[in-house]
Amino acid sequence: MEIDPVVVLADELRATEAALRSAMKQYETDNARAHGDAVDNLLGSVKTLRRDIFKTIPTSVLGAAELVRMVAQYLPFTFATYTKHFHEVADRLSQGQRRHDDLVWLRSIRAALAGGICGEVGVKFAPLLELALVGAARPVIVYRAAVPLQDHPHNPGFWKKRLN
């Protein structure tokens, strides 16, 4: 099974943002041109990764949980109660729990964000929440184990065992 592309992108984004913080600290201390160029390159990478995340549909609840955490991260401080609830929902999603009340709440808060409840930030991140909902609502397919080869009708000894 392939890993969810959103999980991969989120990990890359976190690593790139950490490298950006480190490069910015270095640039602030010595103002070296090389560190300034590194900051510029890392800023471009962060921008590209964020653009990719906004275009990638999660294939599992893990990817949906990552997107819900991102939305919570970028909400203004005045919406701290929503942020707490976002993290609780993301925790449940990352454990594989898809609760109906969580999906209903995410749909209603997505509509509120798109409506401008918290200004431009909400309108900007409502599509990210929509992608999270698509990933969280995706049905899970469970395959049953296959019949072992030694006990399969095409095995020459299969019918001999059954008839005796």
Side-chain angles (χ1 to χ4, degrees):
M1 180 176 172
E2 292 183 18
I3 191 164
D4 192 314
V6 172
V7 173
V8 174
L9 287 171
D11 284 341
E12 287 180 24
L13 180 61
R14 278 192 289 272
T16 306
E17 287 175 339
L20 177 62
R21 283 189 295 274
S22 175
M24 287 173 60
K25 285 180 184 176
Q26 282 287 17
Y27 184 67
E28 288 173 355
T29 58
D30 62 8
N31 289 332
R33 180 177 174 86
H35 292 135
D37 292 340
V39 168
D40 288 341
N41 291 336
L42 289 168
L43 281 171
S45 296
V46 167
K47 183 178 178 181
T48 302
L49 286 168
R50 285 186 181 163
R51 187 177 325 121
D52 291 346
I53 286 174
F54 270 86
K55 294 178 183 177
T56 306
I57 298 173
T59 59
S60 68
V61 291
L62 294 176
E66 289 290 341
L67 294 179
V68 170
R69 284 187 208 288
M70 282 183 198
V71 172
Q73 177 183 359
Y74 294 114
L75 283 178
F77 179 74
T78 54
F79 292 90
T81 55
Y82 292 118
T83 302
K84 182 178 182 259
H85 198 175
F86 273 117
H87 284 292
E88 291 170 354
V89 170
D91 289 342
R92 284 190 289 271
L93 287 173
S94 62
Q95 293 171 0
Q97 299 175 12
R98 295 186 302 170
R99 291 181 17 186
H100 180 66
D101 59 328
D102 287 341
L103 295 178
V104 169
W105 184 81
L106 287 173
R107 283 188 178 103
S108 65
I109 200 72
R110 188 213 51 84
L113 289 174
I117 190 173
C118 57
E120 290 181 32
V121 174
V123 173
K124 182 178 179 181
F125 287 100
L128 198 61
L129 200 52
E130 179 66 31
L131 289 173
L133 281 162
V134 170
R138 179 171 270 173
V140 176
I141 300 173
V142 179
Y143 294 98
R144 297 200 180 254
V147 178
L149 287 177
Q150 67 270 11
D151 197 26
H152 193 271
H154 296 292
N155 186 358
F158 177 81
W159 293 111
K160 196 180 285 186
K161 288 180 196 174
R162 297 289 188 257
L163 295 175
N164 289 336

